[in-house]
Amino acid sequence: MPNFFQQEKNITYFYFFAFIWVIFFIIQYYFFNGIPNFISNDSFQYLSIAKDIYRDKKSTGLINYALNLYYDELALFNYDFKKLKPYHFPSYSAFLSLFYYIYNNDNFVIYASQYISFLIFSISSFLVINNYQKKSTAFFLTILSICCSPIILYISDSGKEILCSGLAMLGIYLGMYYKKRNDLKIIAILSLIFTFLSITRNFYLLLAFLIFIFRSIPTKFKLDDINETTKTKSIFFIFVFGIPLIAYIYCYYFIEIHLFIFDK
């Protein structure tokens, strides 16, 4: 396990985040009478695809609820609905489907997955800010930014943006600030993070490349004195940018994913 999870002072703050989000989710649950608060129709799509993956072990034969609103607009451009394909790989729905294996209940899947997502987001933000401020200040700024931003509206929404943002922040911390970022274990974690992110939203490939550029900057321009050799830079480039890029190309261009069916 990475040392930043084992450090006693960090663990204390992580417990605080876990407790704070429990309070927020309980308040939201009773405020909306236990009904998840979906910000957009995409949330229904993510959840229905996740249930289909859990039930049938594949993502076929689904109705795209979100596109129901745009049938007329699509028809104007003479789209062939039978050939319509998703614009991103359903990786987030695969993530949601894991929670169905724990307890096959829609509300449990929504609340549990979003709780994990918010926890990852807040902890990752705290770890990044802590590189510029002391721990107590970083904790206060993280809580303040969360309470004063629209992010609080996404509690119980089954959208994927919170999870992706949290994983991106974790990738920034592990790739740029973590003192043992050249360990193969950390490189493997980063590779998994950016592979998931890249097949979900392809612009996260740019983030991986920018982190590589940062690692290529001479040591004298960085805050720490970690030695970035040609070997460590090459390993990082291959695992954290190269593998996610290959996964993205494979998922988008060599896998036929027919997620949607349409009634005439």
Side-chain angles (χ1 to χ4, degrees):
M1 182 179 294
N3 290 337
F4 63 85
F5 282 131
Q6 297 175 338
Q7 294 176 3
E8 183 177 351
K9 292 183 179 179
N10 280 350
I11 284 290
T12 301
Y13 287 102
F14 295 166
Y15 284 150
F16 272 116
F17 282 121
F19 175 74
I20 288 170
W21 283 121
V22 166
I23 299 300
F24 274 121
F25 271 71
I26 290 176
I27 293 174
Q28 198 273 353
Y29 180 86
Y30 284 104
F31 183 81
F32 288 102
N33 296 319
I35 301 174
N37 178 38
F38 285 178
I39 303 299
S40 68
N41 286 330
D42 288 352
S43 299
F44 291 100
Q45 177 186 338
Y46 298 139
L47 194 64
S48 61
I49 295 174
K51 186 181 295 185
D52 194 63
I53 293 173
Y54 162 73
R55 183 178 58 247
D56 301 326
K57 306 300 185 295
K58 58 184 180 180
S59 55
T60 59
L62 292 172
I63 297 175
N64 182 357
Y65 297 103
L67 282 180
N68 286 338
L69 302 174
Y70 306 113
Y71 276 165
D72 294 337
E73 289 81 354
L74 290 171
L76 289 174
F77 294 97
N78 297 318
Y79 275 94
D80 185 351
F81 290 98
K82 294 181 180 180
K83 296 181 179 180
L84 191 63
K85 298 178 69 176
Y87 67 94
H88 61 76
F89 190 78
S91 53
Y92 182 73
S93 292
F95 166 76
L96 288 178
S97 69
L98 298 176
F99 292 89
Y100 279 108
Y101 287 94
I102 301 174
Y103 184 54
N104 187 6
N105 177 276
D106 291 344
N107 281 358
F108 170 80
V109 172
I110 294 167
Y111 280 98
S113 63
Q114 283 302 88
Y115 178 78
I116 296 298
S117 300
F118 273 79
L119 199 57
I120 293 174
F121 179 84
S122 56
I123 289 176
S124 302
S125 301
F126 165 78
L127 290 172
V128 172
I129 297 174
N130 188 39
N131 285 276
Y132 301 96
Q133 302 290 336
K134 59 182 181 180
K135 293 184 184 296
S136 58
T137 304
F139 177 78
F140 174 76
L141 290 176
T142 303
I143 296 299
L144 182 64
S145 62
I146 288 171
C147 294
C148 297
S149 70
I151 189 177
I152 206 73
L153 298 176
Y154 286 85
I155 287 182
S156 85
D157 186 89
S158 64
K160 63 179 176 292
E161 307 306 337
I162 302 300
L163 176 64
C164 288
S165 300
L167 289 176
M169 292 292 287
L170 184 59
I172 290 173
Y173 171 74
L174 293 178
M176 295 173 58
Y177 301 111
Y178 189 48
K179 292 182 179 180
K180 295 185 178 181
R181 58 179 177 263
N182 285 332
D183 286 358
L184 290 179
K185 181 167 55 177
I186 300 301
I187 294 295
I189 293 174
L190 282 168
S191 183
L192 290 174
I193 288 174
F194 280 103
T195 296
F196 175 85
L197 290 176
S198 66
I199 63 177
T200 306
R201 297 286 198 213
N202 56 13
F203 56 76
Y204 284 110
L205 284 168
L206 177 60
L207 177 60
F209 185 73
L210 290 176
I211 295 176
F212 166 74
I213 295 298
F214 173 82
R215 292 170 67 98
S216 300
I217 297 174
T219 304
K220 64 180 179 179
F221 296 108
K222 299 177 184 176
L223 295 176
D224 54 36
D225 58 353
I226 189 170
N227 186 23
E228 300 287 0
T229 64
T230 301
K231 179 181 178 180
T232 58
K233 294 174 185 177
S234 300
I235 292 175
F236 182 89
F237 183 83
I238 292 171
F239 280 86
V240 185
F241 179 76
I243 291 179
L245 177 62
I246 293 172
Y248 165 75
I249 294 173
Y250 180 73
C251 289
Y252 276 77
Y253 296 103
F254 295 98
I255 295 182
E256 291 292 328
I257 309 171
H258 300 288
L259 293 179
F260 312 131
I261 60 174
F262 299 91
D263 295 325
K264 294 183 178 179

